[in-house]
Amino acid sequence: MRATPSRRGIAARLAVPVMATALMTVPATAATAVVAAPAAYAAGATPADQQNWKVPRLAVMPLGDSITLGAGSSTGNGYRAELRNRLVPHAGNLQFVGSVRSQGADHEGHSGWQIGELSENIERWLPAANPNVVLLNIGTNDMDRNTDAEAAPARLGALVDRITSAAPHMTVLVSSLVPTRDAAGQKRVEKFNAAVPRLVAERREKGLNVGFVDMAAVTAGDLTDKLHPNDAGFTKMADAFYGGIARAAADGWIREHVDIRPAPPRSVTLGDYRVDVDGDGKADYLVVDEGGAVRAWVNKGGDGRGGWGEYGRIAAGVGVGGDKVRFADVNGDGRADYLALDENGGVRAWINEGGDGRGGWTSWGRIAGGVGAPASQVRFADVDGDGKADYTVVDESGAVRAWVNKGGDGRGGWGEYGRIAAGVGVGGDKVRFADVNGDGRADYLALDENGGVRVWINDGGDGRGGWTGWGRIAGGVGAPASQVRFADVNGDGKADYTVVDESGAVRVWINDGGDGRGGWTSWGRIAEGAGRGSAVRI
């Protein structure tokens, strides 16, 4: 198999921050009170002692949603182009940095994203981009969608803390939100904005270089639609952020180089089986956040072949972390259900009736009490081919024990099969379950470190028909084993080879039988990504 050039992204996503225009940094003595910004700042001017500043290196990371991206501006640059023009005379080396490139500049503006989504990715973006100034404008979508609006300031504070924990000497300029033309949404924006100076002050009191940028100069008359500024509004945003950077430079905050801690490793959850939320036989794209909430994009063919249908948030979470959430069809209706694991491997199930806003979920309560193995070793796979996901434990050596689903605790129980596979010399993290030959039973797949795959076809498992070795069916495509998943993308009943990279983008090779049995057909990039790779289920 060979990788191919990327295609379009996963569905355009609405984004919108809200802002004002003046900037101020908060004195360390002001823990809760914030001194009002000078009127001159609101007019876009800066005091005399902040007009002639210069720093050797200025690496700016614009961080936010579609407002940061530039949606609504005539050029697509938003505030970024005007801000760059203002900064050029003040930096020996000026860069705008980030993982997204548009209109010839790098940034971290992600259309439709909310605070939590930035939090999930920021620890990876920072060391890769190496900024010394972060301009943060986020929360517009949280307010517009009323996503736990009361807790949004706390989420913003947690995001700032992630940045400063990774880089204690980073200059972080946090802006208020621009207004919205939606009356109910504007009330939420005003309450959110009132909390921002306080959370900035709390971090300033700790000695962190966190400043407040007031976007109050941007009015509803400066919007091009319900949420996004027009060119005049973006100019006001540029003025505000420029004032913030100038003030930070005058205060000696901006270091030429900032030490940034490497991103911590993220484990990939491997316990899902047939992530099909709408029951059409094709694997859908889900993002599970750290609190267990789920957003879904339904597979209409993928980028370039019908796209994705955005379902939005289909589950709010049930009190367990995202690493304890699994998706598998436990009742045999063709739709993936929401499973929450305890640390000891116990399972609670919510049956998929369509998901939040589309029929909801039916709680089945605890369907398994655990078998003495930790949650990290629990997988779900249809071992006996009856259409219902069975409970399996994959130990560190790759050996597998199985309990066949007869309905679960209180609904028929589980049939203990014992050890159905002894392992083939790879660790449990290199084992996958997927139906590669389309007979309805999950086969045993062993990955090499480079993503190559060997397969043993499920004829019943040890003691019940055994396994048939097919040998190596894929040589790998240059991606590590940790990024390789198997999912039925085209709905033909056979699991396809997919690669989910760190940004959540997906490439796929359609299963025509595998190497030596028909090969693979490359579909290239079918999804641009909507969250970090370790949070993606497919």
Side-chain angles (χ1 to χ4, degrees):
M1 296 183 287
R2 184 180 59 187
T4 60
S6 65
R7 302 194 170 175
R8 284 183 300 125
I10 205 170
R13 312 170 66 216
L14 169 69
V16 202
V18 194
M19 315 143 195
T21 307
L23 153 99
M24 53 186 175
T25 54
V26 184
T29 55
T32 55
V34 179
V35 180
Y41 273 40
T46 55
D49 65 345
Q50 294 172 30
Q51 293 175 1
N52 299 316
W53 61 276
K54 192 159 187 176
V55 294
R57 173 179 177 266
L58 190 57
V60 178
M61 175 184 280
L63 177 61
D65 49 32
S66 61
I67 291 179
T68 298
L69 176 64
S73 66
S74 62
T75 64
N77 277 305
Y79 71 76
R80 293 178 285 108
E82 180 60 28
L83 177 59
R84 175 182 286 275
N85 292 338
R86 297 285 303 275
L87 294 175
V88 165
H90 300 284
N93 179 12
L94 174 62
Q95 298 173 287
F96 276 43
V97 300
S99 65
V100 179
R101 187 168 184 81
S102 60
Q103 306 300 322
D106 296 332
H107 57 87
E108 292 293 355
H110 298 268
S111 183
W113 283 35
Q114 301 182 61
I115 297 167
E117 292 164 291
L118 295 187
S119 290
E120 291 172 6
N121 290 276
I122 190 61
E123 291 169 315
R124 174 173 54 84
W125 291 334
L126 286 171
N130 194 29
N132 56 9
V133 174
V134 173
L135 305 180
L136 179 58
N137 176 258
I138 191 66
T140 293
N141 291 315
D142 300 71
M143 298 303 103
D144 183 54
R145 301 170 192 171
N146 197 17
T147 304
D148 196 6
E150 290 292 325
R155 293 198 299 277
L156 179 64
L159 170 56
V160 173
D161 292 342
R162 285 203 171 197
I163 297 171
T164 56
S165 293
H169 299 296
M170 185 70 69
T171 295
V172 185
L173 303 180
V174 186
S175 82
S176 57
L177 299 179
V178 299
T180 171
R181 288 179 176 169
D182 175 72
Q186 179 59 21
K187 290 181 180 178
R188 294 191 289 271
V189 165
E190 291 169 359
K191 190 170 183 178
F192 178 89
N193 282 348
V196 176
R198 181 171 59 254
L199 70 86
V200 168
E202 290 169 351
R203 285 148 183 86
R204 282 293 301 123
E205 189 177 48
K206 297 177 182 178
L208 297 169
N209 296 337
V210 180
F212 173 60
V213 174
D214 188 1
M215 292 293 171
V218 182
T219 68
D222 294 317
L223 301 182
T224 190
D225 54 23
K226 182 177 74 169
L227 297 171
H228 300 84
N230 55 25
D231 288 345
F234 277 120
T235 296
K236 292 179 179 180
M237 289 188 68
D239 288 344
F241 274 131
Y242 171 79
I245 294 171
R247 182 68 170 264
D251 288 347
W253 284 9
I254 301 176
R255 298 191 175 201
E256 184 173 359
H257 296 287
V258 175
D259 290 332
I260 302 173
R261 185 185 64 197
R266 294 186 182 276
S267 60
V268 176
T269 299
L270 301 173
D272 299 317
Y273 188 69
R274 293 179 178 163
V275 183
D276 178 8
V277 297
D278 61 350
D280 67 353
K282 294 185 290 188
D284 302 311
Y285 184 109
L286 277 59
V287 176
V288 183
D289 71 20
E290 293 181 348
V294 183
R295 292 172 293 136
W297 286 261
V298 173
N299 182 357
K300 304 295 185 182
D303 291 355
R305 290 179 166 81
W308 301 87
E310 184 171 0
Y311 266 24
R313 194 177 75 171
I314 63 167
V318 295
V320 301
D323 63 328
K324 300 294 193 304
V325 173
R326 305 285 189 273
F327 291 92
D329 181 9
V330 297
N331 67 339
D333 67 355
R335 294 185 294 192
D337 305 307
Y338 185 110
L339 310 178
L341 271 67
D342 303 327
E343 187 56 52
N344 68 353
V347 184
R348 291 174 292 152
W350 283 260
I351 299 299
N352 180 0
E353 311 287 0
D356 291 358
R358 289 179 169 81
W361 304 86
T362 297
S363 174
W364 273 19
R366 187 174 300 278
I367 63 168
V371 294
S376 60
Q377 294 183 3
V378 174
R379 316 276 189 92
F380 292 88
D382 187 359
V383 171
D384 60 352
D386 67 353
K388 296 184 290 187
D390 305 310
Y391 185 111
T392 71
V393 172
V394 183
D395 70 21
E396 293 180 357
S397 72
V400 182
R401 292 176 291 152
W403 287 259
V404 173
N405 181 357
K406 304 296 186 182
D409 290 358
R411 289 179 169 82
W414 302 88
E416 185 171 357
Y417 265 26
R419 195 179 74 170
I420 63 168
V424 294
V426 301
D429 62 327
K430 302 293 194 305
V431 172
R432 306 287 188 272
F433 288 108
D435 180 9
V436 298
N437 66 341
D439 68 354
R441 292 185 293 193
D443 305 309
Y444 185 108
L445 283 61
L447 272 67
D448 302 328
E449 187 55 51
N450 68 355
V453 185
R454 292 173 293 152
V455 170
W456 284 260
I457 298 296
N458 179 359
D459 295 321
D462 291 357
R464 288 177 170 82
W467 305 86
T468 298
W470 272 19
R472 186 174 300 278
I473 64 165
V477 295
S482 60
Q483 295 183 2
V484 175
R485 320 277 184 90
F486 290 86
D488 185 2
V489 172
N490 64 345
D492 67 354
K494 295 184 293 186
D496 306 307
Y497 185 110
T498 69
V499 172
V500 182
D501 70 20
E502 291 185 354
S503 71
V506 179
R507 293 175 290 151
V508 67
W509 287 260
I510 298 297
N511 179 359
D512 295 321
D515 292 357
R517 290 179 168 81
W520 304 87
T521 298
S522 174
W523 274 19
R525 188 182 297 271
I526 65 164
E528 186 62 29
R532 57 183 169 81
S534 57
V536 170
R537 315 292 180 84
I538 188 169

